[in-house]
Amino acid sequence: GQSSILKHKPVVNKKGSKKDLTLEEDAEAVQERFSVNDIEHWTSTVVSVLNMYYGLSDEMFRLLLPAIYPSTVELCVNVTDNRVRSAVKGILEKVGRLKNLV
């Protein structure tokens, strides 16, 4: 059987009956709800935020770096969209320049 750790609270499905969803089933349900338009919207939003961060002054960039860097690095692994990857590359290059690594 599955571990009780993988169980969520009961939810009401489309037919109105309650059932427990595992994390895997819950993730599948979320994926089904996201349309291509939703994904495009979030991708554009992420790219915009990264580009705004990149455009900050060096002083502000450095100040926010501890908060932004871990999430930016995580995008390297989890994102395949070239627009996001390009924005991440720009940020990592700026980090390298500011830290005298390149």
Side-chain angles (χ1 to χ4, degrees), residues 5-23:
I5 293 173
L6 294 178
K7 293 289 185 177
H8 283 279
K9 295 178 182 178
V11 296
V12 178
N13 66 17
K14 292 178 183 176
K15 296 178 183 176
S17 63
K18 289 185 178 182
K19 75 173 200 170
D20 287 331
L21 291 180
T22 64
L23 287 175

Side-chain angles (χ1 to χ4, degrees), residues 64-79:
L64 295 173
L65 188 59
I68 301 295
Y69 191 78
S71 298
T72 303
V73 170
E74 193 66 28
L75 288 172
C76 293
V77 177
N78 295 316
V79 175

